[in-house]
Amino acid sequence: MPAAITQDELVRRAQELMDSVASGTKGPWEKYFAADCLFFDEKGRNMDKKALLADLQPLPSGYSGTIRVVNPQSLILADTAILSYDMNESETIFGQTVTARYHETDTWMLRNGTWQIVAGQVLRYYEDPAPGRAYPAKYKNYAGDYELAPGKTLAISIEENRLYSQKAGQKKIELIPEAPDLFFKKGQEGRQLFRRDESGKVDALIDRRNNEDLLWKKRK
């Protein structure tokens, strides 16, 4: 009969792995990851065990941090166990604290009486940037109609010192300032950048997503 494993034990092992990240301790990673494992991190990197261990380094001087494993879910079938969970990271950098949230899914297999991770994938949850200072007096420079292609338009409008974007046939969405000429939509990835011509006049709206730009030209 296969050696049974429980969700509690999988979570304990996952937390042991996370507790070793800040110090760069490789022991748990060497123990729990199979020699032929596949690992895909939140940066889009595809790593084997050798690369994964090489990437594990202690935080530099002045840095400290913790990662908590929360919200676990599992599916355990005979010699295969899948554990999916959130990771809440808190990192202190020379006295300033930053946080991030990730989600990881690990596939464990029982081989020769030993449970090890054969595949893992990490995703980072999207978080809105911190709002920047608003300059309502400049919003009139952005207001107007913009065109992506014939028949594909959006309107930029101002209401009570707030800026809104509205595509034809859709509802208005507030544009939240991040930096001069740069805005974001709450809960949505990407940025809205108002482009200026050589004279300083706004001539286009750049819809930037994953470093890919869609250009909406401002109508005259």
Side-chain angles (χ1 to χ4, degrees):
M1 293 290 292
I5 197 164
T6 64
Q7 175 175 296
D8 286 346
E9 175 59 18
L10 293 172
V11 171
R12 187 197 68 77
R13 295 184 182 192
Q15 188 62 64
E16 184 181 351
L17 289 166
M18 296 306 107
D19 289 344
S20 68
V21 170
S23 62
T25 303
K26 300 182 189 293
W29 297 77
E30 182 69 57
K31 178 180 178 181
Y32 292 134
F33 277 83
D36 57 350
C37 70
L38 303 174
F39 191 81
F40 306 87
D41 73 0
E42 74 281 2
K43 300 175 183 177
R45 296 181 297 176
N46 176 1
M47 293 184 282
D48 58 13
K49 186 172 183 176
K50 181 179 179 181
L52 180 59
L53 291 173
D55 190 61
L56 188 66
Q57 299 293 331
L59 293 175
S61 177
Y63 287 62
S64 63
T66 59
I67 301 174
R68 280 197 312 118
V69 173
V70 296
N71 304 324
Q73 298 181 65
S74 66
L75 179 62
I76 302 173
L77 300 168
D79 62 354
T80 303
I82 299 171
L83 181 69
S84 193
Y85 52 93
D86 291 337
M87 297 179 292
N88 292 343
E89 179 184 53
S90 177
E91 188 174 7
T92 301
I93 305 172
F94 292 98
Q96 299 186 53
T97 299
V98 294
T99 61
R101 293 193 311 127
Y102 302 88
H103 187 85
E104 182 163 348
T105 299
D106 297 327
T107 300
W108 295 73
M109 290 191 70
L110 180 65
R111 293 169 165 175
N112 300 318
T114 301
W115 285 94
Q116 287 189 307
I117 297 171
V118 296
Q121 184 170 32
V122 184
L123 304 173
R124 182 168 182 169
Y125 284 109
Y126 170 76
E127 301 284 352
D128 286 332
R133 181 179 177 183
Y135 296 91
K138 295 184 177 182
Y139 288 177
K140 62 184 179 181
N141 297 320
Y142 310 137
D145 295 326
Y146 295 75
E147 185 177 68
L148 176 66
K152 298 294 181 180
T153 61
L154 66 79
I156 299 296
S157 60
I158 307 166
E159 293 183 14
E160 298 181 352
N161 288 331
R162 296 176 182 268
L163 199 65
Y164 291 87
S165 172
Q166 184 176 25
K167 293 180 181 179
Q170 300 183 23
K171 66 179 182 180
K172 291 181 180 179
I173 300 176
E174 184 179 0
L175 298 182
I176 302 171
E178 182 178 356
D181 293 343
L182 184 66
F183 296 78
F184 65 92
K185 299 175 182 177
K186 185 175 178 62
Q188 296 186 26
E189 291 193 59
R191 300 292 191 275
Q192 313 295 305
L193 173 64
F194 289 93
R195 191 186 73 178
R196 296 178 181 272
D197 61 20
E198 293 181 356
S199 69
K201 182 179 180 181
V202 173
D203 67 350
L205 171 62
I206 297 173
D207 182 6
R208 180 165 293 164
R209 291 172 290 179
N210 295 321
N211 293 321
E212 298 289 340
D213 292 347
L214 289 176
L215 186 68
W216 297 74
K217 294 182 179 180
K218 191 173 185 182
R219 287 173 156 179
K220 305 298 183 182

